[in-house]
Amino acid sequence: MILETLKKRNGFLSHLLLLSVFAFCGTVEAHAQFAARLPSNSGDTLSLNGTWRFSLAKNAAEAERLARFHDANFDAASFRPIPVPANWSLHGFEEPIYEHRFDEPPDKRPTDTEGFYLHRFRAPATLADRRTLLHFDGVWASAEVWLNGRALGRHDSGFTGFAFDVTRYIKPDAENTLAVRVRQNTKDTLFDTNDDWSLPGIYRDVYLEMMPREMYLDRIEIVTDFDSAYRDAELALRILVARHAGDRNKNYPFQLRAVLTDRAAREVARTIYASDELTGDNAQDVSLRLPVRAPAHWTAETPNLYDLRIELLVNNQVTHTRTERIGFREVSTSGGVLRINGQPVKLRGVNRHDEHPDVGRATTDKQWREDIRLMKQANINAVRTSHYPPAAGFIKLCDELGLYVMDEVPFGYGGDFAADPSYTSAVLLRAFETVARDRNRPSVIIWSIGNEDPFSNLHLAAIRMIKAADSTRPVLLPWRAEETLPPEVDILAPHYKTGEEYDALAAKARRPIVTTEYSHALGDEDFGGLEDRWQSLTKHPTGAGGMIWMWADQGLRRKVNGRKVLDPIADLGRYDDGAPELIRNSDLGNDEIYDARGIYGADGIVNTDRTLQRDFWETRAVYAPVSVLVKETPFRIGQSRIAVPVRNDFDFTDFSALRISWRLMADDRELAKGEVKIAAAPHTTAMLELPTSAIKQVERGVAYYVQVSFHHANGDEFAARSIRLVTETADASTPDAAVTANGKPRLSQNGGNAIVEVGNVRYEFNRQTGSLLSMTANGRRLITESRSVIWRPLSISEANLYRGAHRERPVPPDLNRYTTNVRSWNVAERADGVHIETEVEHRADERNKFSVRYNYHVTTSGALQVQYQVTPQVETGWLPEVGIELEIAPSLDEMRWSGLGILDSYPNESAAAMFGVWRARNGSSEIRGTKSGVEWAELRAANRSALRVTGSPYIRFDGTGREGGRVRLLTAVTGRSTKFKRPERSVWQLDASEVFKGGFTLKPLQGAN
């Protein structure tokens, strides 16, 4: 039935392509068994992992001297131990190379080294009557294999697994010698080369698989087919039974038994098939269907799995068994909407390299589980396996733990050459081996073909072959989003569009859209605009989600050994993508660093060692499958509760399965707390009622709000939001009674400086710079200096955006290092206080300067009101921020503020911060970064005295100054960049042609809480 469906859907051409793939795989000799991609799960395997012997040929001449290494009499005394699986460049044999480009001329290639592996092992005696396959799950980039001196063949595909039938060559109950020559430079190597480390070696498992010699289960293909109501299902199986012995004219009867059990080992369904039509040296393709009543659905939210056991019986005896862990799920794109089991879904995705700094590509269960655990903490429900199929164990864990997988056929940089028909074998081999290995995995919902390639006939051939082999999943071409793409391309996949572009594209699309790369997270400071892009795309039914680039910084642990370590920004012109220099991502100690190749690989939302970046928390907030649809709500005294609209953005989980906790707050005081339950089906909105009767009165200057936390059934929090209660008397100001002074300001001069005193508060203004020089209250100096600022250190992306194509161009000078010329200075005593007006010019160099007009007003309450206007003239064309920096006393080492927190936030990166009243101490992680939406802030000391700031929407505690701390009071902040791009919307940009106006008020306080 499945074959008939394929013929009807894809026609005669697809059927021919499916058959012809074996002819195109001619680079692997006939001994390689392409049909047996799935290793037995019955335990009938023998691992060959362990310590092998290895020699590295550094050039062609050395490779030629080692060419006969597989001979029995070859002298391998110089070979050294190496672990398998592993990448040899992580074990001291040579330096790792980033982006190994073999299309460069030979004199510019970083290396043409080759690896020679030898391994001796004893084969069990039971192999004498068994068929034996030798499996390699991954060898980068080309493997030529010998067993006991007999050539088995060569495989040129660095990220897909392969196998050889070694039944004739292996020696049972004896020592065997396995020899593998690994090349990095072949015609097809660019298909295995990406914007990432090129790590050679036998880096995935090597093992023997044993099965009956004469008749065995060769292939199992699984399809789960729901009825129209997605209640009952049929399990459709295609099983290839092969026989390699006997009389071709004689039939050999057999039976197949398929048994499905749930995770509690209870039998759910079974069927038996009997045949007497299989002849010798032949195979029979058997189709079976098992009806299953109301199976539990597999989704990323509900990863329900069943165990399928297929048994081959000969003469009523089980002779061969294969098992699969399966999930019931269907994928469709009908009506231009991506659906799982009939339900529209949104992919909250990320790109992932199968790589870890400690092991390179030889990843293990430990690294896979760590990644999936952290991804699920970040509300990520989908992963694109950029740019190749990962280790099979990772995908099986996605089945078990619940992640959608976009499985990528590896084209690497070779996709640019797919117009050349001589690469047909390279293309179809990779497509076939990817699909054959992973087609039974329920987590795999989309086949991705290459990356950022031009569309070609070979791409279409790969797509047609995949659809002929598997008609159950949609296909996309990353980066290609034209409506003119052929109908075989089911999903549009744009890269790096703006929010406005995603909105326009999704509004008119007739196919689902998954942006397979967006929000390029270069460095740990460049992740702006994620929320805007996500919402612009996914508000449309066709907008099925996106994949952040990327999950983890592409870093390796590297020894310094006295070598110079380059800086990713300052030394940009001194390193390239294919060279061996060291580039610091972070220090490890013990003469080691993490090296993520500077601007090339520092792309993650987590660090290379999986510690969390600020980007992780922004992802978690944007991807949270719950939306609180208001940020504030009216409130009056006596009101017993508020009703907050909340949308369920889960695709399959009802809100009734969640735990929702709340805290009613007055500033940073908790008035009440509790838990609440609501029910809301996926993609619907409900009203969340929260009690407020604990508010007995509304105090002036106090903020009232409710913090709501959403938890999975197991208690893990996945989202937190804040709802402001807007009261009639809400006021961010502080009563004057809290100010330490009151009276008529007294003006005096000291060497031209203006000194203003009000009670026990004293201000001094510098006549030579036009700035506030100091502030003293109760005899304690709180502020020791101030200065205007229009600059800060640039992020990696900002520095490279400034340099553009001119990599040798130095980064801009620090525009906060300037000379000052006071143009005017006017001091006046008035009835309401002392007023100082001054205009100054700050010059950084001959090309960069800015002028500032200051207006200072010391009031009768002892407060200082500051207004300023900044007019820049700088060649950068834009500014990162504008404001005034204060140097404060060392004792003021804590900040308390009302606004967004506790994380930092910016105009286009604020989803992870929420409104509240927060505290953080100097030196803590919580105080780092710019705080936005600030209504007031207090700089506090242990003796409880404080300095309050109002009127500055942004504030940043910048750590230690010459005598104390530094605090920046900012009126304007540019949005966060993404890789080499300015913030996308004009409201997030600070154009240097503008005039910036700002201000704030300083009040010395005592007795603050």
Side-chain angles (χ1 to χ4, degrees):
M1 180 176 178
I2 298 174
L3 182 59
E4 293 302 314
T5 301
L6 290 174
K7 290 179 179 178
K8 290 177 182 178
R9 179 174 296 191
N10 299 292
F12 183 66
L13 176 60
S14 294
H15 188 54
L16 284 179
L17 278 167
L18 182 59
L19 296 175
S20 64
V21 66
F22 297 99
F24 284 128
C25 295
T27 56
V28 181
E29 296 184 13
H31 300 107
Q33 300 299 302
F34 294 99
R37 288 282 81 88
L38 295 172
S40 169
N41 292 313
S42 64
D44 205 8
T45 59
L46 175 67
S47 174
L48 299 183
N49 294 347
T51 300
W52 292 31
R53 291 181 297 157
F54 177 80
S55 183
L56 181 70
K58 298 181 180 179
N59 50 52
E62 291 187 14
E64 181 61 27
R65 286 196 295 270
L66 293 172
R68 303 300 300 177
F69 76 120
H70 49 79
D71 289 346
N73 58 356
F74 182 81
D75 182 4
S78 63
F79 280 45
R80 294 165 50 191
I82 190 172
V84 169
N87 300 111
W88 73 61
S89 50
L90 269 65
H91 288 268
F93 290 95
E94 66 178 338
E95 289 296 323
I97 299 296
Y98 193 94
E99 197 174 285
H100 202 160
R101 292 297 300 252
F102 286 103
D103 54 342
E104 298 285 351
D107 61 331
K108 293 186 177 181
R109 291 177 191 155
T111 180
D112 276 345
T113 60
E114 297 183 23
F116 293 78
Y117 290 82
L118 288 172
H119 183 56
R120 291 189 175 93
F121 65 95
R122 189 170 189 86
T126 54
L127 293 187
D129 61 349
R130 306 283 280 172
R131 177 177 184 254
T132 304
L133 298 182
L134 170 63
H135 286 272
F136 292 84
D137 281 354
V139 181
W140 200 94
S142 166
E144 189 173 2
V145 185
W146 294 261
L147 180 62
N148 298 324
R150 298 296 298 267
L152 301 181
R154 177 169 156 177
H155 181 266
D156 289 352
S157 177
F159 293 111
T160 55
F162 57 100
F164 300 97
D165 188 333
V166 296
T167 306
R168 291 177 292 173
Y169 308 128
I170 199 162
K171 295 185 291 187
D173 198 24
E175 186 175 74
N176 293 261
T177 300
L178 181 59
V180 185
R181 180 175 181 172
V182 178
R183 294 174 172 86
Q184 298 190 69
N185 184 7
T186 72
K187 173 181 171 62
D188 299 343
T189 297
L190 280 178
F191 283 84
D192 303 310
T193 306
N194 303 286
D195 180 10
D196 190 26
W197 297 94
S198 296
L199 299 176
I202 304 173
Y203 65 96
R204 290 182 184 160
D205 292 336
V206 185
Y207 57 95
L208 298 176
E209 179 188 5
M210 290 77 77
M211 64 195 69
R213 183 187 290 263
E214 294 184 358
M215 188 183 299
Y216 51 88
L217 300 170
D218 201 347
R219 169 184 39 79
I220 299 172
E221 294 179 353
I222 299 167
V223 174
T224 54
D225 186 9
F226 278 104
D227 62 18
S228 59
Y230 291 94
R231 181 182 182 277
D232 298 331
E234 280 192 322
L235 182 60
L237 306 176
R238 286 184 63 179
I239 305 165
L240 189 70
V241 181
R243 182 174 180 84
H244 281 304
D247 188 343
R248 293 188 179 186
N249 298 313
K250 179 182 176 181
N251 290 330
Y252 294 88
F254 68 90
Q255 289 180 313
L256 289 176
R257 182 162 58 208
V259 181
L260 184 70
T261 57
D262 63 18
R263 298 306 295 274
R266 294 184 296 254
E267 185 173 304
V268 174
R270 75 162 49 206
T271 190
I272 296 179
Y273 171 87
S275 173
D276 59 1
E277 298 179 357
L278 182 61
T279 61
D281 287 329
N282 198 10
Q284 183 177 338
D285 191 65
V286 178
S287 293
L288 301 179
R289 297 185 77 85
L290 282 74
V292 182
R293 297 195 61 181
H297 291 202
W298 188 97
T299 73
E301 296 171 28
T302 58
N304 299 302
L305 293 174
Y306 292 81
D307 291 315
L308 174 67
R309 186 173 73 253
I310 307 295
E311 297 174 334
L312 174 66
L313 292 86
V314 179
N315 297 325
N316 294 318
Q317 297 294 318
V318 176
T319 60
H320 193 199
T321 301
R322 290 190 185 274
T323 61
E324 284 284 353
R325 187 155 285 173
I326 70 166
F328 284 84
R329 69 103 187 88
E330 282 187 15
V331 188
S332 71
T333 57
S334 60
V337 177
L338 179 65
R339 291 180 169 89
I340 303 291
N341 301 336
Q343 175 79 336
V345 297
K346 304 295 185 184
L347 303 184
R348 297 167 164 83
V350 69
N351 285 271
R352 175 187 179 269
H353 274 300
D354 196 14
E355 181 179 278
H356 190 275
D358 296 337
V359 298
R361 297 207 192 282
T363 55
T364 66
D365 184 84
K366 175 183 177 182
Q367 287 96 35
W368 307 330
R369 287 186 182 274
E370 180 181 33
D371 278 356
I372 294 173
R373 176 180 61 83
L374 291 175
M375 286 178 185
K376 294 183 78 69
Q377 284 183 16
N379 294 315
I380 291 166
N381 71 354
V383 60
R384 175 185 175 217
T385 66
S386 53
H387 294 294
Y388 43 84
F394 175 79
I395 294 184
K396 289 180 180 179
L397 280 178
C398 291
D399 294 346
E400 178 183 330
L401 302 177
L403 273 183
Y404 299 121
V405 175
M406 181 186 295
D407 205 350
E408 189 144 300
V409 174
F411 276 49
Y413 291 130
D416 294 337
F417 301 95
D420 183 345
S422 69
Y423 287 104
T424 300
S425 60
V427 168
L428 295 185
L429 173 67
R430 286 162 172 79
F432 174 78
E433 290 183 334
T434 300
V435 174
R437 190 195 75 174
D438 294 338
R439 60 155 295 125
N440 291 340
R441 304 273 60 80
S443 59
V444 176
I445 64 168
I446 296 170
W447 298 119
S448 172
I449 314 301
N451 177 58
E452 295 188 346
D453 298 338
F455 180 63
S456 74
N457 182 53
L458 279 182
H459 286 87
L460 184 57
I463 292 170
R464 287 175 170 173
M465 191 216 77
I466 288 171
K467 283 184 168 291
D470 172 30
S471 63
T472 69
R473 294 175 176 89
V475 171
L476 59 76
L477 289 164
W479 193 45
R480 302 255 68 100
E482 307 93 318
E483 286 289 352
T484 57
L485 288 169
E488 289 91 341
V489 180
D490 304 288
I491 296 173
L492 304 182
H495 281 194
Y496 302 115
K497 302 294 184 183
T498 66
E500 292 175 339
E501 289 169 333
Y502 285 126
D503 188 359
L505 184 60
K508 65 180 182 181
R510 295 187 297 274
R511 287 177 260 198
I513 298 173
V514 177
T515 175
T516 36
E517 290 182 25
Y518 79 133
S519 295
H520 194 143
L522 180 64
D524 57 3
E525 298 177 311
D526 296 303
F527 197 53
L530 174 67
E531 184 177 27
D532 180 61
R533 298 183 202 101
W534 171 259
Q535 293 182 351
S536 296
L537 176 62
T538 58
K539 69 183 180 182
H540 299 280
T542 56
M547 306 287 167
I548 294 167
W549 187 269
M550 75 164 324
W551 169 239
D553 285 353
Q554 295 153 239
L556 297 178
R557 180 191 292 265
R558 300 185 69 184
K559 281 286 187 182
V560 175
N561 292 329
R563 294 174 292 174
K564 182 176 178 57
V565 178
L566 302 181
D567 180 84
I569 297 179
D571 295 317
L572 175 62
R574 300 181 59 190
Y575 66 87
D576 208 336
D577 53 358
E581 304 95 348
L582 297 170
I583 307 169
R584 177 178 286 103
N585 181 259
S586 60
D587 286 308
L588 277 167
N590 296 322
D591 197 41
E592 288 184 318
I593 64 167
Y594 284 133
D595 181 353
R597 208 62 202 161
I599 63 168
Y600 298 104
D603 299 327
I605 63 171
V606 299
N607 295 313
T608 188
D609 62 356
R610 274 48 174 184
T611 55
L612 307 183
Q613 296 182 17
R614 168 66 174 80
D615 306 348
F616 175 94
W617 299 106
E618 189 73 4
T619 300
R620 178 180 183 266
V622 172
Y623 279 177
V626 58
S627 294
V628 176
L629 300 180
V630 296
K631 293 185 177 181
E632 59 183 35
T633 187
F635 174 79
R636 64 181 184 278
I637 290 295
Q639 184 175 333
S640 63
R641 64 188 57 249
I642 60 172
V644 178
V646 181
R647 187 178 67 230
N648 182 353
D649 290 334
F650 283 99
D651 298 319
F652 300 96
T653 304
D654 193 285
F655 267 173
S656 60
L658 307 181
R659 287 179 48 198
I660 304 174
S661 60
W662 57 269
R663 300 172 68 213
L664 179 62
M665 305 294 294
D667 279 354
D668 45 4
R669 291 178 286 121
E670 182 184 284
L671 302 180
K673 66 179 180 179
E675 291 193 358
V676 64
K677 279 279 190 179
I678 60 171
H683 306 167
T684 65
T685 299
M687 300 303 292
L688 179 63
E689 294 193 349
L690 301 170
T692 54
S693 57
I695 301 177
K696 305 302 183 183
Q697 63 178 353
V698 175
E699 302 174 55
R700 181 186 175 194
V702 173
Y704 295 87
Y705 55 99
V706 183
Q707 290 180 342
V708 184
S709 298
F710 299 86
H711 306 257
H712 294 295
N714 65 2
D716 292 343
E717 182 187 278
F718 66 88
R721 298 291 186 265
S722 181
I723 303 99
R724 184 80 177 268
L725 306 185
V726 181
T727 65
E728 294 180 357
T729 58
D731 188 345
S733 65
T734 301
D736 287 344
V739 181
T740 60
N742 198 9
K744 181 178 175 57
R746 303 182 302 278
L747 174 66
S748 61
Q749 293 193 19
N750 178 21
N753 291 346
I755 299 173
V756 183
E757 297 177 271
V758 185
N760 56 7
V761 180
R762 180 181 185 274
Y763 298 94
E764 183 172 358
F765 300 90
N766 192 329
R767 173 69 174 80
Q768 302 301 314
T769 62
S771 62
L772 174 67
L773 183 59
S774 67
M775 174 188 185
T776 304
N778 295 318
R780 298 175 63 87
R781 180 166 289 194
L782 302 179
I783 297 175
T784 59
E785 194 176 352
S786 73
R787 60 201 311 269
S788 291
V789 290
I790 63 169
W791 204 248
R792 57 160 169 74
L794 297 183
S795 68
I796 295 179
S797 184
E798 289 169 339
N800 287 281
L801 180 65
Y802 171 76
R803 282 170 160 167
H806 307 290
R807 300 185 64 216
E808 299 294 337
R809 185 182 186 186
V811 295
D814 183 352
L815 301 183
N816 294 333
R817 298 174 64 89
Y818 48 70
T819 59
T820 300
N821 176 36
V822 177
R823 294 176 174 174
S824 64
W825 174 266
N826 296 296
V827 182
E829 293 186 83
R830 300 175 181 171
D832 60 349
V834 174
H835 186 78
I836 300 173
E837 182 175 331
T838 181
E839 184 175 355
V840 301
E841 180 184 85
H842 300 300
R843 182 178 291 274
D845 56 31
E846 64 276 9
R847 298 184 301 276
N848 297 282
K849 64 180 181 178
F850 62 102
S851 61
V852 185
R853 182 183 296 274
Y854 300 96
N855 286 280
Y856 303 106
H857 181 64
V858 181
T859 71
T860 57
S861 67
L864 172 62
Q865 298 171 349
V866 181
Q867 296 293 322
Y868 58 92
Q869 177 177 296
V870 178
T871 304
Q873 293 177 267
V874 296
E875 65 174 1
T876 58
W878 62 280
L879 300 176
E881 60 189 29
V882 176
I884 290 179
E885 181 180 89
L886 306 178
E887 290 206 11
I888 58 176
S891 59
L892 300 178
D893 62 352
E894 182 184 73
M895 187 167 76
R896 179 173 178 258
W897 75 97
S898 175
L900 297 185
I902 195 167
L903 294 174
D904 53 334
S905 52
Y906 306 88
N908 63 344
E909 189 181 341
S910 60
M914 62 181 182
F915 177 81
V917 174
W918 311 93
R919 297 171 186 254
R921 297 189 68 83
N922 187 14
S924 68
S925 60
E926 291 86 357
I927 207 167
R928 294 174 188 163
T930 301
K931 314 300 183 184
S932 65
V934 177
E935 297 178 352
W936 54 261
E938 293 175 351
L939 306 174
R940 302 165 57 83
N943 63 5
R944 300 170 65 85
S945 66
L947 175 65
R948 176 174 280 232
V949 181
T950 57
S952 178
Y954 302 96
I955 187 168
R956 185 171 71 249
F957 206 121
D958 261 355
T960 304
R962 290 194 298 273
E963 298 179 0
R966 291 194 303 268
V967 173
R968 288 197 177 185
L969 309 179
L970 303 168
T971 189
V973 171
T974 192
R976 285 304 202 186
S977 176
T978 56
K979 188 171 185 178
F980 305 162
K981 292 184 178 181
R982 289 188 66 184
E984 293 158 357
R985 299 187 185 270
S986 59
V987 294
W988 301 334
Q989 301 174 4
L990 302 188
D991 194 310
S993 64
E994 298 180 17
V995 174
F996 299 91
K997 296 181 179 180
F1000 55 87
T1001 298
L1002 300 177
K1003 291 183 179 180
L1005 307 178
Q1006 63 181 0
N1009 292 328

mmCIF file of all heavy atoms in Angstrom, residues 281-296:
data_model
loop_
_atom_site.group_PDB
_atom_site.id
_atom_site.type_symbol
_atom_site.label_atom_id
_atom_site.label_comp_id
_atom_site.label_asym_id
_atom_site.label_seq_id
_atom_site.Cartn_x
_atom_site.Cartn_y
_atom_site.Cartn_z
ATOM 1 N N ASP A 281 18.728 -16.319 -2.459
ATOM 2 C CA ASP A 281 19.399 -15.129 -3.000
ATOM 3 C C ASP A 281 18.382 -14.089 -3.458
ATOM 4 O O ASP A 281 18.458 -13.558 -4.562
ATOM 5 C CB ASP A 281 20.330 -15.491 -4.153
ATOM 6 C CG ASP A 281 21.583 -16.197 -3.658
ATOM 7 O OD1 ASP A 281 22.004 -15.887 -2.519
ATOM 8 O OD2 ASP A 281 22.099 -17.048 -4.386
ATOM 9 N N ASN A 282 17.434 -13.798 -2.594
ATOM 10 C CA ASN A 282 16.357 -12.891 -2.956
ATOM 11 C C ASN A 282 15.884 -12.179 -1.687
ATOM 12 O O ASN A 282 16.287 -12.511 -0.575
ATOM 13 C CB ASN A 282 15.212 -13.651 -3.619
ATOM 14 C CG ASN A 282 14.275 -12.721 -4.389
ATOM 15 O OD1 ASN A 282 14.576 -11.555 -4.576
ATOM 16 N ND2 ASN A 282 13.152 -13.252 -4.820
ATOM 17 N N ALA A 283 15.020 -11.203 -1.859
ATOM 18 C CA ALA A 283 14.420 -10.496 -0.734
ATOM 19 C C ALA A 283 12.948 -10.292 -1.020
ATOM 20 O O ALA A 283 12.535 -10.198 -2.180
ATOM 21 C CB ALA A 283 15.115 -9.156 -0.502
ATOM 22 N N GLN A 284 12.172 -10.211 0.047
ATOM 23 C CA GLN A 284 10.743 -9.939 -0.085
ATOM 24 C C GLN A 284 10.393 -8.737 0.763
ATOM 25 O O GLN A 284 10.751 -8.650 1.945
ATOM 26 C CB GLN A 284 9.910 -11.150 0.351
ATOM 27 C CG GLN A 284 8.408 -10.942 0.170
ATOM 28 C CD GLN A 284 7.612 -12.172 0.527
ATOM 29 O OE1 GLN A 284 8.142 -13.285 0.529
ATOM 30 N NE2 GLN A 284 6.343 -12.000 0.820
ATOM 31 N N ASP A 285 9.685 -7.789 0.138
ATOM 32 C CA ASP A 285 9.238 -6.576 0.828
ATOM 33 C C ASP A 285 7.817 -6.819 1.312
ATOM 34 O O ASP A 285 6.887 -6.972 0.517
ATOM 35 C CB ASP A 285 9.296 -5.379 -0.119
ATOM 36 C CG ASP A 285 9.100 -4.070 0.615
ATOM 37 O OD1 ASP A 285 9.965 -3.738 1.440
ATOM 38 O OD2 ASP A 285 8.082 -3.382 0.364
ATOM 39 N N VAL A 286 7.633 -6.844 2.621
ATOM 40 C CA VAL A 286 6.353 -7.206 3.219
ATOM 41 C C VAL A 286 5.714 -5.965 3.819
ATOM 42 O O VAL A 286 6.365 -5.223 4.571
ATOM 43 C CB VAL A 286 6.537 -8.278 4.313
ATOM 44 C CG1 VAL A 286 5.206 -8.615 4.970
ATOM 45 C CG2 VAL A 286 7.193 -9.520 3.726
ATOM 46 N N SER A 287 4.440 -5.745 3.515
ATOM 47 C CA SER A 287 3.677 -4.648 4.105
ATOM 48 C C SER A 287 2.713 -5.200 5.133
ATOM 49 O O SER A 287 1.953 -6.132 4.856
ATOM 50 C CB SER A 287 2.897 -3.897 3.023
ATOM 51 O OG SER A 287 3.768 -3.236 2.144
ATOM 52 N N LEU A 288 2.759 -4.639 6.328
ATOM 53 C CA LEU A 288 1.869 -5.028 7.414
ATOM 54 C C LEU A 288 1.171 -3.797 7.969
ATOM 55 O O LEU A 288 1.744 -2.694 7.975
ATOM 56 C CB LEU A 288 2.646 -5.709 8.553
ATOM 57 C CG LEU A 288 3.428 -6.977 8.234
ATOM 58 C CD1 LEU A 288 4.148 -7.468 9.489
ATOM 59 C CD2 LEU A 288 2.515 -8.061 7.690
ATOM 60 N N ARG A 289 -0.033 -3.988 8.456
ATOM 61 C CA ARG A 289 -0.761 -2.900 9.103
ATOM 62 C C ARG A 289 -1.355 -3.410 10.408
ATOM 63 O O ARG A 289 -2.042 -4.441 10.435
ATOM 64 C CB ARG A 289 -1.849 -2.339 8.200
ATOM 65 C CG ARG A 289 -1.295 -1.713 6.928
ATOM 66 C CD ARG A 289 -2.394 -1.062 6.098
ATOM 67 N NE ARG A 289 -2.817 0.227 6.625
ATOM 68 C CZ ARG A 289 -2.198 1.369 6.333
ATOM 69 N NH1 ARG A 289 -1.147 1.387 5.531
ATOM 70 N NH2 ARG A 289 -2.633 2.505 6.835
ATOM 71 N N LEU A 290 -1.070 -2.666 11.491
ATOM 72 C CA LEU A 290 -1.589 -3.017 12.814
ATOM 73 C C LEU A 290 -2.582 -1.948 13.249
ATOM 74 O O LEU A 290 -2.182 -0.790 13.483
ATOM 75 C CB LEU A 290 -0.468 -3.102 13.859
ATOM 76 C CG LEU A 290 0.404 -4.346 13.897
ATOM 77 C CD1 LEU A 290 1.373 -4.339 12.708
ATOM 78 C CD2 LEU A 290 1.165 -4.398 15.213
ATOM 79 N N PRO A 291 -3.857 -2.246 13.355
ATOM 80 C CA PRO A 291 -4.810 -1.273 13.901
ATOM 81 C C PRO A 291 -4.522 -1.029 15.386
ATOM 82 O O PRO A 291 -4.278 -1.980 16.142
ATOM 83 C CB PRO A 291 -6.170 -1.940 13.703
ATOM 84 C CG PRO A 291 -5.929 -3.050 12.741
ATOM 85 C CD PRO A 291 -4.511 -3.493 12.939
ATOM 86 N N VAL A 292 -4.537 0.235 15.787
ATOM 87 C CA VAL A 292 -4.275 0.603 17.180
ATOM 88 C C VAL A 292 -5.373 1.561 17.621
ATOM 89 O O VAL A 292 -5.551 2.638 17.014
ATOM 90 C CB VAL A 292 -2.893 1.266 17.358
ATOM 91 C CG1 VAL A 292 -2.643 1.578 18.829
ATOM 92 C CG2 VAL A 292 -1.795 0.365 16.811
ATOM 93 N N ARG A 293 -6.095 1.204 18.630
ATOM 94 C CA ARG A 293 -7.196 2.029 19.104
ATOM 95 C C ARG A 293 -6.673 3.095 20.055
ATOM 96 O O ARG A 293 -6.006 2.804 21.051
ATOM 97 C CB ARG A 293 -8.254 1.183 19.809
ATOM 98 C CG ARG A 293 -8.938 0.150 18.907
ATOM 99 C CD ARG A 293 -10.195 -0.376 19.548
ATOM 100 N NE ARG A 293 -11.158 0.706 19.784
ATOM 101 C CZ ARG A 293 -12.348 0.519 20.367
ATOM 102 N NH1 ARG A 293 -12.701 -0.694 20.785
ATOM 103 N NH2 ARG A 293 -13.170 1.537 20.543
ATOM 104 N N ALA A 294 -6.976 4.343 19.714
ATOM 105 C CA ALA A 294 -6.684 5.511 20.566
ATOM 106 C C ALA A 294 -5.269 5.498 21.134
ATOM 107 O O ALA A 294 -5.078 5.582 22.352
ATOM 108 C CB ALA A 294 -7.709 5.606 21.685
ATOM 109 N N PRO A 295 -4.271 5.397 20.289
ATOM 110 C CA PRO A 295 -2.909 5.455 20.834
ATOM 111 C C PRO A 295 -2.612 6.837 21.403
ATOM 112 O O PRO A 295 -3.160 7.854 20.952
ATOM 113 C CB PRO A 295 -2.036 5.169 19.613
ATOM 114 C CG PRO A 295 -2.842 5.669 18.459
ATOM 115 C CD PRO A 295 -4.277 5.365 18.813
ATOM 116 N N ALA A 296 -1.747 6.881 22.394
ATOM 117 C CA ALA A 296 -1.279 8.164 22.912
ATOM 118 C C ALA A 296 -0.443 8.847 21.837
ATOM 119 O O ALA A 296 0.434 8.233 21.237
ATOM 120 C CB ALA A 296 -0.458 7.944 24.179
#
